[in-house]
Amino acid sequence: MNANDHMFAATMPPQEVSVDVLREKYAKGSENSIDEVRARVARALASHEAEPLREEMEQRFLWAQERGFVPAGRINSAAGLGIKATLMNCFVQPVGDSITGSHDGLPGIYTAVAEAAETMRRGGGVGYDFSPIRPAGSVVRGTRSRASGPVSYMEVFDASCRTVESAGARRGAQMGVLRIDHPDVERFIAAKDGGAFSNFNLSVGVTDEFMAAVLGDGEIELRHQAEPGPDAMADGAYRRDDGLWVYQRVRARDLWDKVMHSTYDHAEPGVLFIDRMNAENNLYYVERLAATNPCGEQPLPPYGCCDLGSLNLTHYVRSPFTIDAHFDFDTMREVAAIGVRMLDLALDATQWPLPQQAAEGRDKRRVGLGFMGLGSALVMLGIRYDSDEGREMAARIARELRDATYAASIALAQEKGPFPLFDAQRYLDGQFVQRLPDALRAEIALHGIRNSHLLSIAPTGTISLAFADNASNGIEPAFSWVYHRKKRMPDDTTRTYEVADHAWRLYRHLGHDVGEGSLPRQFVTALEMSAHDHLRMMEAVQPYIDTAISKTVNVPADYPYGEFKDLYTGAWRAGLKGLATYRPNSVTGSVLSAVPAPPPAPSPAQPNSAETDPLRRRFESRPIGELESVTTKVEYSTQEGKKAVYLTISFIRVDGVFDGREVRIERPFEFFMPANQRSDGQQWITSTMRLLSMAARAGSSIAKALGDMREVVWEKGPVRCGFLTREDGVQVPVYHDSEVAAIAFMLQRVLIGRGFLDSYGNQVPVPELDRLLRLRSAAHASLVGAVTRETGTIAVPARPAEKCPECGARALQRVDGCARCGECHYIGSCG
């Protein structure tokens, strides 16, 4: 490799956001640069080599990192520090059908909770298959009771994850899976409709049998080994000859539509094609796959684990943006071989959360080498991502990467021995291994192979920012060439960064015009291509990846539902192992958006600027009509006894223009508590109402103010105030951390009732406010929430937006396993 090939890139100053992300997440102690982090990682992994090789390998490991190998975040943030953190990204935790102890070789529910908590405490992302847990209403003979079902027990795992992440710097990440033929699958599909499970991604495990029934308009059995309760028996449940109980038979297309409608509206559940996962599994002969890690790129068995790394493909583009542009496959193969060795050593260097995971790691030695920057690299080569040429290039890169990694692992087996569960004949009979070149298969037969699996394409999140100058994420194209990312600083101020795609920055750095309309044809972003083009890219690459690909297929909000469903059936026909989609809508909003440069600061004569309130961005308004007020009596209980106050919110209607369209909305204008309630204990309520009123009139965010109030804690113990209705219709009391939080909760309830906030206190977008007001005016009745497309019933968000750790906005959502903020574009944990 010619070092001069990268001189043009080296002269680009690093992006400020990249430096800050590196220092905050990966540089430890006195480290301040990428070189220092790389040196620590190289030294830490080389220390697990045989003594004569350590110095040489440390230099080779450093060389590989300088030329595009980027270990995953767990390795960069923990290797060589002597802390009790895992270097593994991916885990699957088994869960059995018992409370404690074990059942059918699987740990009981609360044992599994404890084991998963230990794994997350050490930094691992965890997936679960909840299918073994008996359905709701089934018989529990030991206690002469009825089971509550897997969805109810998922709440325990969700709460545990929330508690663990609150004690550490890294957010927890979980994937919950339930088979499509489990009797509780409909409850699972709707599990997030009530806002529960904010610490879970959910996926349905879909079988080939089910997909055949969908396409053939047949029925499937919802079945389980647990005995049904009297109600199910009265409805016709019966036992098969093999001992399984059939709870009911359902039309496959009806059940598939429920999955598709939920995914269309809320981006969840995702779909895992579990039969395809198992058919392509190199270890089909010793394990069964039923779940994946939180991002979906690693199907794993019980206690399965894997570490990750990626090649930055932009490093191998020579003469970019010229007619001589080409890809340096020789260097990529050389770096890939060293990457395999480093990931294999990470299995020896890691701290294992559980002994069962250590045994899995030792016996199978799974690693997952993938790539980042595919979208950026194609742009630099002059190739459109959504073209046949783009797919052909991606497939060739994946094929060369496959062959290089398998050759490297064979060489490691010659040096250090194959993985303990290697069986040459059965391994070579695997579907994926049968597609390897004959020369590699012959070498495997002769020498074995060090690692059971070698390839995985994961989301690369912050490591793309910190180590790759924001090369495009994993297999994805660029979402936007330039966007702005806001970050909350320690002094509670907000800082705005310009974040640019690496290819776009390099094109500008080389002196080309990046003005509107001047970019060449290959500059195509994710939302400028069709959903089927995203799918075809996965189809082109998957045959060369022995595990799976984490990719989100973005579709526009107006994407037809029928075509949306076709994406999933097309993914199954194409042999993919799963699919995740994201469609912006009035319920979930959009996760990321390209943001123009910030406008000039307003003059003192313009105090109510669009920057102070999301409602007023691109929305110039004028008040109309009189105020309309709503008064509610708030009763709550504290350790000091029961209390009651009356609260009033006045609303004003405004006309305005939003995105070039005339709209009319209703928004709060005044918050009020009657003056005769000014006791010593409630003076703060009056002052709070006045401050909220000032904020409302000034155009500040009421949603954020109430959200902040709900986080206020006092020392007097919990406050009971209000009720929420569970999925089964039972009302449960709500407890708060203070009187302030209780009052904020009730104010949110009023604003939710008027449709100003969604069911979790997040701001409803202007177009939806306009639609709701028109509906309410036409019907002369209030609506709570948003009316669904088909039934006219109340729809609530798939999950409450959480508070972003960077900017503080309640706009944090999980998509394809990654925590993303729709306000500041923060990208957090990805598995």
Side-chain angles (χ1 to χ4, degrees), residues 734-794:
V734 180
Y735 291 87
H736 309 275
D737 292 326
S738 66
E739 282 187 345
V740 175
I743 293 295
F745 171 80
M746 295 308 297
L747 291 173
Q748 284 180 330
R749 294 300 97 188
V750 175
L751 294 178
I752 289 168
R754 298 291 289 199
F756 182 73
L757 302 180
D758 67 25
S759 295
Y760 297 96
N762 302 311
Q763 179 63 64
V764 172
V766 168
E768 183 66 7
L769 290 176
D770 174 65
R771 188 178 72 86
L772 289 175
L773 183 57
R774 294 176 190 276
L775 285 172
R776 187 161 64 240
S777 299
H780 299 288
S782 63
L783 280 175
V784 183
V787 180
T788 61
R789 181 180 57 262
E790 292 185 345
T791 63
T793 57
I794 306 251

Side-chain angles (χ1 to χ4, degrees), residues 159-469:
S160 174
C161 180
R162 183 166 54 251
T163 302
V164 170
E165 75 177 38
S166 70
R170 187 175 189 264
R171 296 181 53 80
Q174 300 183 114
M175 169 72 83
V177 180
L178 198 73
R179 285 177 60 98
I180 194 70
D181 54 14
H182 192 285
D184 282 4
V185 68
E186 291 189 36
R187 180 178 292 188
F188 179 82
I189 293 167
K192 286 196 173 183
D193 289 357
F197 308 125
S198 59
N199 296 288
F200 266 109
N201 298 319
L202 299 184
S203 288
V204 177
V206 173
T207 63
D208 288 347
E209 173 193 13
F210 175 78
M211 291 304 299
V214 170
L215 298 177
D217 197 16
E219 292 185 336
I220 67 156
E221 298 172 340
L222 302 185
R223 53 188 184 253
H224 202 271
Q225 63 182 4
E227 180 182 347
D231 293 341
M233 294 295 287
D235 290 338
Y238 62 92
R239 196 170 195 175
R240 302 192 322 188
D241 292 341
D242 62 1
L244 288 178
W245 289 91
V246 177
Y247 281 62
Q248 60 177 316
R249 294 183 62 87
V250 298
R251 184 172 179 249
R253 285 186 180 177
D254 292 340
L255 183 54
W256 186 237
D257 271 340
K258 290 179 180 179
V259 175
M260 291 293 98
H261 277 303
S262 180
T263 304
Y264 186 80
D265 289 336
H266 306 317
E268 285 193 86
V271 171
L272 300 177
F273 298 117
I274 54 177
D275 286 341
R276 171 64 59 175
M277 283 163 37
N278 283 284
E280 289 274 310
N281 182 15
N282 288 354
L283 289 180
Y284 68 94
Y285 56 92
V286 293
E287 66 184 24
R288 186 73 182 168
L289 306 174
T292 73
N293 71 315
C295 297
E297 74 274 9
Q298 270 294 331
L300 293 168
Y303 294 116
C305 45
C306 183
D307 60 347
L308 302 175
S310 299
L311 300 183
N312 177 6
L313 299 182
T314 66
H315 262 266
Y316 314 118
V317 178
R318 305 289 177 255
S319 305
F321 303 112
T322 72
I323 59 173
D324 297 321
H326 62 281
F327 195 87
D328 183 355
F329 285 100
D330 290 337
T331 300
M332 186 195 76
R333 285 190 291 263
E334 188 175 358
V335 174
I338 299 174
V340 168
R341 191 178 190 107
M342 292 176 70
L343 294 180
D344 182 71
L345 286 168
L347 294 165
D348 302 321
T350 191
Q351 291 272 346
W352 291 102
L354 304 173
Q356 301 96 319
Q357 297 161 349
E360 276 283 318
R362 178 183 61 249
D363 290 343
K364 300 172 182 177
R365 304 196 71 86
R366 267 182 170 90
V367 300
L369 181 61
F371 54 70
M372 66 173 73
L374 175 65
S376 299
L378 291 176
V379 169
M380 293 162 65
L381 290 167
I383 302 173
R384 280 182 67 96
Y385 186 97
D386 56 347
S387 66
D388 289 340
E389 187 182 3
R391 290 183 284 273
E392 290 168 2
M393 174 57 74
R396 184 183 174 192
I397 290 170
R399 183 174 65 251
E400 296 281 356
L401 180 61
R402 178 201 64 182
D403 294 351
T405 58
Y406 271 75
S409 190
I410 294 167
L412 276 177
Q414 290 179 266
E415 178 185 343
K416 301 182 178 184
F419 68 91
L421 292 181
F422 174 72
D423 181 308
Q425 186 56 56
R426 289 194 285 179
Y427 190 83
L428 288 167
D429 285 343
Q431 288 189 16
F432 182 86
V433 178
Q434 287 181 14
R435 296 198 298 270
L436 293 177
D438 291 342
L440 285 177
R441 287 173 48 80
E443 290 289 303
I444 291 173
L446 183 61
H447 304 293
I449 192 165
R450 179 68 170 169
N451 312 95
S452 67
H453 299 74
L454 285 147
L455 298 154
S456 184
I457 301 182
T460 48
T462 53
I463 62 171
S464 286
L465 270 175
F467 296 95
D469 188 44

Side-chain angles (χ1 to χ4, degrees), residues 100-119:
T100 57
S102 63
H103 182 265
D104 288 343
L106 301 176
I109 293 167
Y110 283 92
T111 304
V113 169
E115 291 179 343
E118 179 64 15
T119 302

Side-chain angles (χ1 to χ4, degrees), residues 8 40 538 775:
F8 57 83
R40 167 172 52 83
M538 292 182 70
L775 285 172

Side-chain angles (χ1 to χ4, degrees), residues 619-733:
F619 178 43
E620 296 299 329
S621 64
R622 60 183 183 279
I624 60 171
E626 299 178 352
L627 297 181
E628 183 176 336
S629 300
V630 174
T631 299
T632 183
K633 181 181 180 181
V634 180
E635 297 179 308
Y636 56 96
S637 301
T638 70
Q639 292 181 349
E640 299 172 347
K642 293 184 177 180
K643 299 184 180 182
V645 295
Y646 287 89
L647 300 174
T648 298
I649 304 178
S650 296
F651 296 85
I652 192 168
R653 294 185 178 183
V654 294
D655 279 341
V657 176
F658 184 85
D659 282 349
R661 183 172 70 88
E662 292 186 0
V663 295
R664 174 174 293 182
I665 69 169
E666 178 184 80
R667 62 176 301 160
F669 186 77
E670 183 177 60
F671 295 79
F672 178 69
M673 185 188 79
N676 59 7
Q677 297 181 46
R678 290 179 180 171
S679 66
D680 289 342
Q682 293 173 342
Q683 291 182 20
W684 59 266
I685 301 179
T686 301
S687 64
T688 299
M689 296 303 106
R690 292 177 178 175
L691 289 172
L692 285 173
S693 298
M694 292 174 63
R697 294 170 186 173
S700 298
S701 174
I702 299 302
K704 186 177 187 306
L706 294 177
D708 289 343
M709 287 173 63
R710 288 194 62 177
E711 295 184 0
V712 174
V713 179
W714 69 358
E715 72 284 354
K716 297 181 181 180
V719 176
R720 175 174 170 168
C721 177
F723 292 86
L724 289 177
T725 304
R726 291 191 330 203
E727 179 183 311
D728 56 8
V730 176
Q731 283 196 325
V732 294

